[in-house]
Amino acid sequence: MEPQRPRQRAGLGLARKGGCSQRPRIRNPVEWLDRQTFSFHFRNLSFANGRNCSYLCYQVERLKHCSPDPSDWGVFQNRVYPETPCHAELCFLSWFCAKKLSPYEQYHITWFLSWSPCLSCAEQVAAFLKENRNVRLSIFAARLYYFWKPECQHGLRLLHHQRAWVRLMSLGEFKYCWKNFVYNQGMPFKPWKKLRKNYQFLAAKLQEILGNTMNLLKKKVFQQQFGNQHRVPLARYRRKTYLCYQLKQLDGFTLDKGCFRNKKQRHAEIRFIDKITSLNLDPNQSYKIICYVTWSPCPTCARELVDFINGQDHLSLQIFASRLYFHWVKLFQRGLQQLQAAQVSVAVMTRSEFEDCWEEFVDNQGMPFESWDKLEQYSESISRRLRKILLPLNWNNLEDSFRDLRLGSPSPSSLRSDSR
């Protein structure tokens, strides 16, 4: 069931903590929106004129329930005072930091905006999210603010980079707002003409801006395919190979990301190699690639990854596997050892990696990652297996190092990576 909004008035805001010290005190007299205001200001026109006001409908949920109030609802409107102009987003942050923010609570905040944030607001919201890691933000915008201007596009990317879930309002979100934030007097929401068409146009523009053309994984697919249980809980589906990757600069900025699965005779790893190769990365720049895979690479894919990474000193590749593929077969063990010998980091996904994969590649709708039963226990068990597989290679390298110290230049046989 959808939560019902309590009839309460949004409070006053004086910023004091949590990265909010520069925001002015703002009064917000708006409690509910009337029907005409909502229908006019939230209409999702591709190009809207005469709509200079910005409205923000918010819901704050407390995930740890350290407060007697599980959630807050309300509406903010931008204010233009000569001495203290303030957009709706900053009005909310001032109020939230002064009245609600606690380091002992986990928050999920949802915004429904008539306009997407401008660059200045986006920068301050992104800074707030960076400083307050216990706050998760989902943003649904009715329209995109100057989406053709590079500075506004940059603001949306900043929010996305700080893990804000940025989306356009669809019919479902308009109905939800009408029910919970509009004094509708019992009248049902009536969609306007071209609502769906305008949504599709704006959603495509947002996708272009964020540079995320991949289809996010469904929650059920992620849970089934990335689950690290030894056996499939339900024998009604096969666990297939999915590979999710992030290409990053050394400062952490994400240049590209995507998700592949096995397709016909081309494994996900091969499709990933083709994608990175097609980017024509600058060899004078350094990059880090993080891969999350449901199954560790087969011997053929392991050799392809080794060939791909060899000679590319500007690339650092990390592979995190949820499960090990035929880990008891020596040929598959050999593939993992070859990867490590090529300076490819091979590890098992822990809760931290599952959370990051959930955040970056799953259509999670702003909800936090929920662990399944015995996740940590399974992860540790798989990690022990991987360590045993890689240990002979590590021991052989150690012997080679001592041999080099005693004998000088290594012999040709000592250069072989075969540990058996």
Side-chain angles (χ1 to χ4, degrees), residues 121-298:
C121 289
E123 289 176 335
Q124 295 187 60
V125 173
F128 168 80
L129 293 174
K130 184 177 181 179
E131 183 172 345
N132 297 278
R133 307 304 290 182
N134 59 328
V135 178
R136 300 165 53 84
L137 177 62
S138 299
I139 299 175
F140 294 91
R143 299 182 302 273
L144 296 177
Y145 184 68
Y146 287 115
F147 60 83
W148 57 90
K149 291 190 175 184
E151 59 269 24
C152 293
Q153 296 176 3
H154 177 64
L156 293 173
R157 293 190 191 102
L158 285 176
L159 291 169
H160 182 66
H161 185 57
Q162 288 302 326
R163 297 186 175 183
W165 205 69
V166 184
R167 294 293 185 272
L168 269 300
M169 290 179 68
S170 63
L171 177 60
E173 283 76 47
F174 286 116
K175 286 182 176 179
Y176 187 82
C177 276
W178 178 268
K179 179 179 179 181
N180 292 284
F181 298 101
V182 178
Y183 187 62
N184 56 53
Q185 298 178 312
M187 300 291 291
F189 174 72
K190 293 183 179 180
W192 44 81
K193 292 180 63 176
K194 298 184 178 181
L195 185 153
R196 180 179 177 82
K197 183 178 180 180
N198 291 342
Y199 163 76
Q200 292 173 338
F201 170 80
L202 293 170
K205 291 297 180 183
L206 179 62
Q207 192 175 62
E208 291 177 8
I209 292 169
L210 298 182
N212 180 17
T213 57
M214 72 173 190
N215 293 321
L216 296 173
L217 297 175
K218 294 182 179 180
K219 291 186 285 186
K220 185 176 181 180
V221 170
F222 171 80
Q223 292 163 351
Q224 290 180 343
Q225 300 299 332
F226 275 88
N228 63 351
Q229 301 91 339
H230 297 324
R231 291 182 176 84
V232 176
L234 298 175
R236 290 178 291 182
Y237 66 91
R238 287 184 58 193
R239 295 200 285 194
K240 304 175 182 178
T241 300
Y242 284 79
L243 183 151
C244 302
Y245 75 91
Q246 298 178 78
L247 172 65
K248 296 188 174 186
Q249 295 176 337
L250 293 187
D251 61 2
F253 184 79
T254 301
L255 295 172
D256 188 47
K257 67 178 182 178
C259 186
F260 296 105
R261 56 170 291 186
N262 286 0
K263 189 174 182 180
K264 295 183 179 179
Q265 298 302 315
R266 295 185 66 76
H267 284 192
E269 293 90 340
I270 308 304
R271 299 180 65 195
F272 156 75
I273 292 172
D274 292 343
K275 171 64 176 180
I276 299 300
T277 303
S278 70
L279 297 177
N280 295 318
L281 298 175
D282 184 356
N284 297 316
Q285 299 289 331
S286 296
Y287 306 93
K288 178 172 68 174
I289 306 174
I290 300 173
C291 292
Y292 300 125
V293 291
T294 55
W295 289 108
S296 59
C298 69

Side-chain angles (χ1 to χ4, degrees), residues 274 354 378:
D274 292 343
F354 284 117
Y378 292 136

Side-chain angles (χ1 to χ4, degrees), residues 319-332:
I319 298 176
F320 294 93
S322 175
R323 304 177 300 272
L324 299 180
Y325 190 55
F326 286 108
H327 60 86
W328 59 90
V329 179
K330 289 187 177 181
L331 183 62
F332 288 77

